Amino acid sequence: MNKKIIVILIVVIITAFTINSSLDSPEEENLVFHITLADQDLYTNGIYTEKFTIQKGEYSFRFVPNGSSPDILSVTLNGKNIDFSENFKLENTLHQTGISEYFTWEYSGQKIILISEADEVSISINPNGNTLGSVSVDILEN
């Protein structure tokens, strides 16, 4: 069998397994906020905003970026007891195998948030002009 076909089959199997695992993941029980920004209509004046309630505790951001995601993703959380702001930077990593090359993407920045007490929070996500690139943003309770 052709090596390229074998590599493609392996990638498809791993991707299917990863998607299935993430759908059944216990992390989803800890999901506090989720948005997939893949449509310009989700933005008002180039910024996505929403309100949600968050409880006291430790939380972390999780991103699902790709090569077309915004280079800088500015996220702010504002509430009575929280004032958080971070410019997350998209970084790519080249992976080379004996027969292929591919990139993975990840946002770097302060991903841990401590909430001192329950609060209604306003989240603003600014893709800094790149409203065409898609990215998912989650906040998970640790």
Side-chain angles (χ1 to χ4, degrees):
M1 203 184 258
N2 188 336
K3 288 183 182 181
K4 288 182 182 181
I5 294 173
I6 293 171
V7 171
I8 291 170
L9 287 174
I10 291 171
V11 169
V12 169
I13 291 168
I14 290 171
T15 302
F17 178 76
T18 302
I19 290 170
N20 188 37
S21 295
S22 68
L23 292 175
D24 297 333
S25 173
E27 284 183 350
E28 300 309 314
E29 294 174 10
N30 299 331
L31 187 66
V32 175
F33 172 83
H34 169 79
I35 185 68
T36 298
L37 297 170
D39 182 354
Q40 285 185 314
D41 293 338
L42 294 171
Y43 298 96
T44 303
N45 297 322
I47 299 173
Y48 172 83
T49 58
E50 186 174 328
K51 288 187 178 185
F52 63 96
T53 301
I54 196 165
Q55 301 301 313
K56 177 181 176 179
E58 181 179 287
Y59 297 85
S60 60
F61 284 98
R62 176 177 64 187
F63 300 97
V64 181
N66 62 56
S68 68
S69 296
D71 291 333
I72 302 291
L73 194 65
S74 302
V75 179
T76 60
L77 296 171
N78 291 303
K80 182 177 168 187
N81 302 301
I82 185 169
D83 186 18
F84 172 88
S85 181
E86 183 70 26
N87 292 318
F88 293 98
K89 182 180 178 190
L90 185 63
E91 297 179 351
N92 65 43
T93 303
L94 173 63
H95 301 274
Q96 296 178 316
T97 68
I99 56 175
S100 68
E101 292 183 350
Y102 63 94
F103 286 96
T104 57
W105 292 269
E106 182 177 341
Y107 279 103
S108 63
Q110 175 62 39
K111 294 183 182 175
I112 303 295
I113 313 160
L114 296 175
I115 305 296
S116 60
E117 59 184 84
D119 204 348
E120 182 178 44
V121 175
S122 175
I123 187 169
S124 297
I125 303 172
N126 183 348
N128 297 287
N130 184 356
T131 57
L132 295 176
S134 65
V135 62
S136 290
V137 179
D138 297 333
I139 297 177
L140 303 166
E141 184 176 20
N142 293 340

